[in-house]
Amino acid sequence: MQSDTTARLLITCPDRPGIVAAVSNFLFNHGANITALDQHSTDPEGGLFFMRLEFQTPHLDVSREILEKAFAERVAARFEMNWRIAYAADLKKVAILVSKYDHALLELLWRHSNRELPGAITQVISNHPDLRPEVERFGIPYHVPVEKDRKEEAEAQILHLLGDTDLVVLARYMQILTPQFVARYPNRIINIHHSFLPAFVGANPYKQAYTRGVKIIGATAHYVTEELDQGPIIEQDVARVSHRHDVADLVRLGRDLERNVLARAVQWHLEDRIIVYGNKTVVFS
């Protein structure tokens, strides 16, 4: 995990010569030390250019506000950049929504308790009371807004609880969010699901997969959009299975994939490694 002096600059702009030099010279002239830089172009002739750059801030000769204003005027405007700077010292506030399955939730809570996630899990919100003891054991507040079958009232209360939360994680939250909810947190809601979609929708997907004799199972983490399970994909993983695996084996393997895929996606978001463009993502490792 990076130190509190780390800052991260993310850039999207039309590709053209001189971008890296302009950014590097600007930061050098303001006393910043660049410690990591990664870039990608969709096409050097007329494509889009993406860059993630980490730099250290202890010797900056100006405030954050002045640095960002100067960058906007001297570099970003010239190259038509869509850009932002994030500071590691400003921990992002994370809220987790969950129903009854605990595997993805507990993975995040365990990593958070071991300081492996560079963010602050501020609360867990659920539509069931079942996981309260497990969550409160980690010292995290647990909320069950309203009783089931009162979806509109529940969602209003959840939005009130979330407030200025930076990232919402759906750790097997078995409710569909309304477009109004999703619009409050664009590219700031991450969901996890099995990768059988759309082949095995509905209940018991692993049983359906077993019946069909699948040879690969998987998991997908993605940003949530208004279109169900169609948002930009952040991370995926698969495991091979065979005729020797029964339904319980598929469930166990699938949950392992889900917990790890979701944890990686959350970590990459918190480390500002993801740039969304259209319905795709650029993920800098």
Side-chain angles (χ1 to χ4, degrees):
M1 192 176 297
Q2 287 109 348
S3 71
D4 287 346
T5 63
T6 301
R8 307 165 187 132
L9 170 61
L10 277 75
I11 293 170
T12 304
C13 64
D15 197 1
R16 54 184 276 199
I19 298 172
V20 176
V23 173
S24 301
N25 287 333
F26 174 86
L27 291 174
F28 170 76
N29 290 332
H30 284 81
N33 179 34
I34 297 172
T35 52
L37 190 154
D38 201 352
Q39 63 194 63
H40 170 69
S41 176
T42 60
D43 189 329
E45 298 293 333
L48 278 177
F49 179 82
F50 305 90
M51 184 165 72
R52 178 185 185 271
L53 184 151
E54 287 187 1
F55 60 95
Q56 302 303 310
T57 60
H59 303 298
L60 286 180
D61 56 11
V62 294
S63 67
R64 290 182 182 181
E65 293 76 15
I66 293 175
L67 178 77
E68 293 176 17
K69 184 175 185 295
F71 183 81
E73 295 172 349
R74 301 176 191 175
V75 181
R78 176 157 49 112
F79 291 97
E80 302 174 81
M81 291 178 175
N82 181 359
W83 64 280
R84 64 183 176 89
I85 298 178
Y87 302 90
D90 300 339
L91 291 180
K92 295 180 178 64
K93 295 184 289 293
V94 181
I96 302 175
L97 273 60
V98 66
S99 291
K100 289 186 175 182
Y101 295 114
D102 65 357
H103 55 286
L105 166 70
L106 293 179
E107 182 69 27
L108 293 173
L109 293 179
W110 183 85
R111 295 191 185 205
H112 179 259
S113 69
N114 283 274
R115 300 183 179 181
E116 295 182 16
L117 289 178
I121 297 179
T122 59
Q123 58 186 317
V124 173
I125 302 172
S126 180
N127 55 330
H128 297 279
D130 304 52
L131 300 178
R132 182 184 299 276
E134 291 288 347
V135 172
E136 293 183 344
R137 181 166 60 86
F138 286 90
I140 305 293
Y142 187 88
H143 305 286
V144 183
V146 294
E147 298 174 0
K148 64 180 181 180
D149 302 325
R150 293 161 62 187
K151 183 176 176 62
E152 289 186 7
E153 185 178 348
E155 186 164 285
Q157 291 194 24
I158 291 170
L159 286 171
H160 177 73
L161 287 167
L162 291 176
D164 61 351
T165 294
D166 297 301
L167 176 65
V168 179
V169 181
L170 308 183
R172 296 308 305 272
Y173 183 61
M174 312 306 286
Q175 298 289 312
I176 297 175
L177 303 179
T178 65
Q180 294 76 19
F181 189 112
V182 174
R184 289 278 294 272
Y185 301 94
N187 296 326
R188 291 190 290 141
I189 306 174
I190 296 178
N191 188 32
I192 184 70
H193 63 68
H194 61 80
S195 288
F196 298 135
L197 293 173
F200 304 126
V201 298
N204 298 318
Y206 289 100
K207 184 175 181 180
Q208 296 178 57
Y210 173 79
T211 301
R212 288 286 302 275
V214 301
K215 304 305 180 188
I216 293 177
I217 61 171
T220 295
H222 64 92
Y223 287 116
V224 175
T225 60
E226 291 185 13
E227 192 173 359
L228 182 64
D229 292 331
Q230 299 298 312
I233 292 170
I234 303 169
E235 171 66 336
Q236 294 178 296
D237 203 356
V238 297
R240 296 201 65 86
V241 297
S242 74
H243 59 279
R244 300 183 187 279
H245 293 88
D246 59 20
V247 175
D249 292 328
L250 298 188
V251 170
R252 175 179 54 80
L253 290 169
R255 289 181 178 177
D256 282 346
L257 290 169
E258 289 172 10
R259 62 165 59 97
N260 288 304
V261 167
L262 180 61
R264 290 197 293 268
V266 169
Q267 180 162 352
W268 294 341
H269 180 97
L270 295 177
E271 293 176 345
D272 303 289
R273 296 186 179 276
I274 306 167
I275 298 177
V276 177
Y277 74 106
N279 203 49
K280 293 184 178 182
T281 59
V282 172
V283 181
F284 293 111
S285 59

